[in-house]
Amino acid sequence: MPELLEASIKDELRRDRLLAALTLIAGAGLFLALPFALKAGSQFFLPLTAAIVIAIALVPLLEWLERRRLPAPLAAFVCVLLFLIVANGAIASIVLPAWGWAEILPERIDRVQQNIAPLIDFYSNLERFVNELLANVANTPVRQGGATTTERPASLLDFTASTAPSALIEMFFAILVIYFFLAGWTRLRRSAITSRNSFGGAMATARVIQDVVDFTSAYLGTISFINLTLGALVAAALWFVGMPTPLMWGGIVAVLNYVPYFGPILSAALLALGGLMTFTDVWWALLPAAIMVGAHLVEANVVTPLIVGHRLTISPLMILVALSFWGWVWGTPGALLAVPLLIIIQTVVRAAGKPDIAGFLFEHGTLVKDAVPPGTPVQTGASPFADKASDKAD
């Protein structure tokens, strides 16, 4: 009897390891192929993903309206309308003034060059020194980098005609996804919960759905409040020092601050360029960028940790990986969606359980951590039921 039980356990563990190996291979293949599929199908996946993230963030507002006896379709319409009003206001305050800056940029190139002339001279001298040093060491002439040219649209009309149709279609598709997602949210959640075969499964599903909504909406709501406040303070400071279109600059700071690490750097660089285009003194021209950097340091090291706390703390390494991945797949929109998608994925994975890949590879186990400890009866030559059998025999 012990021998039969031991053989049965061996066969079961062997079958589990085979299934785990097949699952691991399929998961690795999917992991490697998914980024290329998302990148190739960005016209479909990007608006769909952005719409789902936005809709999840709007779920608390939808539920608040439904508790006020508002029908689900009407509540979804109100949520979409409010979102469009806010988005259009942000676009009007940022994009329209930005076109004015783009138009005067060719006229201000001379001023920018005059302001940064000392830096250019220093860089030229440094580059000449490095080239001469490399030439002496390698005894070969140093190849100078040629200037690169980029093709630009012939006119604004040409640019709009070539990009606007697809952008409008994607935006309309995203708006429809947001509306229908919100309109059917209550029914979709009830169906996902009631379709489970066990009470434990239903409770786990309900908990995961609620956690995804809570964490995503809490993060986006909190970060949006912080970014809007930061943008308003920077805009007020820029208005005080005489920077043109301070609302546009504040909006740029607020939007780019959704991208951790890289967004504030880009904001500071744009403000430095704008200051060099506006002011004649180089130190006064760099003041807008210095204001933004100082405000961001206070926000990142004092305000955000105080408000967000440890509940929404995410590993910096995971944030960098997510920014790099989604930025490579979808560019700037992907970088804006990186952290919300990371929150959603982490919430689902935490509830579903992480596979024990290290245990499968190095301990001859399976991908499930709570599986029967493999090898114990096999290595010792004893059956887990041997003690019970000996007790009965005694």
Side-chain angles (χ1 to χ4, degrees), residues 221-234:
T222 305
I223 296 301
S224 297
F225 173 76
I226 293 174
N227 292 349
L228 290 176
T229 304
L230 176 65
L233 292 177
V234 171

Side-chain angles (χ1 to χ4, degrees), residues 6-22 360 364-366 374-375 378:
E6 183 177 343
S8 176
I9 292 175
K10 285 182 179 180
D11 294 338
E12 185 177 354
L13 291 176
R14 192 177 296 111
R15 183 177 63 254
D16 290 343
R17 281 188 58 81
L18 177 61
L19 293 177
L22 295 176
F360 172 75
H364 305 291
T366 62
V378 178

Side-chain angles (χ1 to χ4, degrees), residues 94 219-234 248-268 270-271 291-305 307-308 319 323 332 335-340:
I94 296 175
Y219 171 80
L220 290 177
T222 305
I223 296 301
S224 297
F225 173 76
I226 293 174
N227 292 349
L228 290 176
T229 304
L230 176 65
L233 292 177
V234 171
M248 181 203 74
W249 293 111
I252 290 176
V253 170
V255 172
L256 291 180
N257 206 51
Y258 281 98
V259 182
Y261 309 124
F262 302 105
I265 297 175
L266 182 58
S267 298
L270 292 175
L271 278 170
I291 291 174
M292 186 271 152
V293 171
H296 170 70
L297 289 177
V298 175
E299 173 265 324
N301 295 284
V302 179
V303 178
T304 299
I307 296 178
V308 174
I319 292 178
L323 285 174
T332 303
L336 292 173
L337 294 171
V339 178

Side-chain angles (χ1 to χ4, degrees), residues 82-211:
L82 292 176
F83 169 75
L84 291 178
I85 292 174
V86 173
N88 288 331
I91 292 175
S93 63
I94 296 175
V95 175
L96 296 180
W99 280 118
W101 282 87
E103 291 176 355
I104 66 175
L105 178 60
E107 304 173 1
R108 302 293 177 88
I109 290 296
D110 294 336
R111 178 178 296 181
V112 174
Q113 291 178 345
Q114 292 175 2
N115 286 332
I116 63 175
L119 298 177
I120 293 177
D121 294 338
F122 173 76
Y123 174 76
S124 300
N125 295 331
L126 180 62
E127 184 182 21
R128 189 180 304 111
F129 171 76
V130 172
N131 288 340
E132 292 176 357
L133 180 62
L134 291 176
N136 293 332
V137 172
N139 198 20
T140 56
V142 179
R143 184 179 179 182
Q144 301 289 338
T148 58
T149 58
T150 57
E151 297 182 0
R152 293 181 298 176
S155 64
L156 177 61
L157 181 61
D158 183 20
F159 177 77
T160 305
S162 61
T163 59
S166 60
L168 289 176
I169 292 174
E170 293 176 10
M171 183 182 66
F172 183 69
F173 170 70
I175 293 173
L176 288 180
V177 171
I178 295 174
Y179 172 77
F180 287 112
F181 184 93
L182 293 175
W185 167 252
T186 303
R187 183 173 61 255
L188 177 66
R189 181 178 58 180
R190 184 185 300 113
S191 174
I193 295 174
T194 57
S195 62
R196 302 303 94 196
N197 295 326
S198 63
F199 178 77
M203 293 299 297
T205 303
R207 185 164 51 251
V208 170
I209 294 175
Q210 193 61 42
D211 287 345

Side-chain angles (χ1 to χ4, degrees), residues 231-247 249-250 271 278-279 284 287-288 291:
L233 292 177
V234 171
L238 294 179
W239 173 81
F240 182 76
V241 301
M243 187 76 170
T245 61
L247 288 179
W249 293 111
L271 278 170
T278 304
F279 304 106
W284 193 263
L287 183 60
I291 291 174

Side-chain angles (χ1 to χ4, degrees), residues 337-355:
L337 294 171
V339 178
L341 288 175
L342 178 61
I343 292 175
I344 295 173
I345 293 173
Q346 280 190 336
T347 303
V348 175
V349 170
R350 189 183 300 114
K354 299 179 181 178

